[in-house]
Amino acid sequence: MQTTPHNEARRGDYAETVLLAGDPQRSEWIAATFLDGVRCVNRVRGALGYTGRFRGVPISVQTTGIGAPSMAIYAHELLDTYRARTLIRVGTCGGLADHVKLRSLVISQSSSNDGAVNGQLFGFYNYAPSADFGLLQRAAQRAIELGLDHHIGQTASSDVFYHPDVLGRFAGVRAHGALAVDMETSLLYTVAARFRAKALSICTVVDSLVTEEQTETSERQELFTDMVRLALEVAVPAEPATPRR
């Protein structure tokens, strides 16, 4: 019997820290490339889930699919049913600012959205979904130490992928400094806050809405190496070297 309608994993199959990838092929690649002792814990709907170890620490990877509703379902079930405590998105985004170049990383400090969730959950309040500060701080420090091309700041999440006004619809958030847009980060931060859990979104810029440049689909797995490496460094910091006496 499945534990949830969307997941066949048993309680205890997921680690407390879970990396979230939209694409099942990316989840499979992350597990095979970065984790030791990997086992597949979910195949329902093709939303592959894996658990293994990184630096000896249990880490899971879960596919979330595309869009806010799908992200909300998997994040909710991981936190509620499987008792995960830290969720880190490793996804893709589109650049909204001139200086945000293809293949760079965007670490989301907060994320606006164009969906209806705020009205349904918060009434007349405009809730501000934000990253966990500890995870954000650690990501910022490690990105600098690793020499990664990255940006940290506010982002936007949209429920519409194909829109006739590709860039103009983001005029408001762009004027207020939004770096990039994806479809999931805002809901991830909202669901995590509901469960008093930690969440962070790290995305690779695969296209620019400003210049209309795009990366090739064939190169994207290779592009994700820095992003996943940073996410794992945040999830499982290396032990500091013991000073010699």
Side-chain angles (χ1 to χ4, degrees):
M1 181 177 179
Q2 291 175 210
T3 307
T4 80
H6 318 96
N7 203 312
E8 64 191 347
R10 296 170 296 178
R11 289 181 174 85
D13 278 348
Y14 285 98
E16 289 192 0
T17 298
V18 185
L19 304 191
L20 305 177
D23 181 354
Q25 291 185 336
R26 191 184 318 144
S27 295
E28 185 178 35
W29 172 78
I30 292 170
T33 305
F34 296 93
L35 303 184
D36 299 319
V38 174
R39 58 193 177 96
C40 184
V41 297
N42 183 59
R43 295 184 183 274
V44 175
R45 294 173 174 258
L48 300 177
Y50 298 92
T51 295
R53 289 180 176 271
F54 179 75
R55 293 177 177 155
V57 177
I59 293 287
S60 294
V61 185
Q62 175 59 44
T63 306
T64 61
I66 297 175
S70 186
M71 167 62 80
I73 287 171
Y74 287 102
H76 180 106
E77 292 181 354
L78 286 168
L79 296 172
D80 185 39
T81 302
Y82 296 102
R83 299 296 189 263
R85 300 311 305 152
T86 299
L87 304 179
I88 302 177
R89 168 164 157 73
V90 281
T92 61
C93 65
L96 290 179
D98 295 341
H99 67 285
V100 175
K101 305 303 183 184
L102 293 189
R103 303 175 181 84
S104 63
L105 301 183
V106 173
I107 305 169
S108 178
Q109 181 176 356
S110 60
S111 183
S112 305
N113 70 80
D114 62 7
V117 68
N118 272 5
Q120 293 189 47
L121 295 180
F122 304 103
F124 61 85
Y125 285 96
N126 288 316
Y127 181 67
S130 302
D132 174 78
F133 179 74
L135 296 180
L136 183 69
Q137 185 179 46
R138 197 181 306 159
Q141 179 180 345
R142 288 302 288 143
I144 293 171
E145 292 171 350
L146 294 170
L148 302 180
D149 183 7
H150 70 285
H151 310 273
I152 301 172
Q154 62 170 299
T155 62
S157 291
S158 177
D159 287 347
V160 181
F161 189 87
Y162 294 108
H163 193 286
D165 189 1
V166 176
L167 186 60
R169 64 188 171 124
F170 296 112
V173 290
R174 289 188 71 215
H176 290 79
L179 299 171
V181 58
D182 74 345
M183 302 184 75
E184 296 86 10
T185 295
S186 183
L187 255 292
L188 169 62
Y189 288 174
T190 300
V191 173
R194 181 84 171 190
F195 285 92
R196 305 295 192 270
K198 299 178 180 180
L200 181 67
S201 178
I202 305 172
C203 289
T204 300
V205 181
V206 297
D207 55 40
S208 170
L209 279 70
V210 179
T211 65
E212 299 184 358
E213 297 174 290
Q214 296 184 9
T215 59
E216 294 292 335
T217 303
S218 59
E219 68 171 311
R220 289 189 179 181
Q221 296 294 45
E222 181 180 346
L223 287 182
F224 299 146
T225 299
D226 284 345
M227 172 178 66
V228 177
R229 182 184 176 196
L230 178 59
L232 289 169
E233 290 285 339
V234 171
V236 187
E239 292 292 332
T242 302
R244 295 182 178 179
R245 295 176 179 268

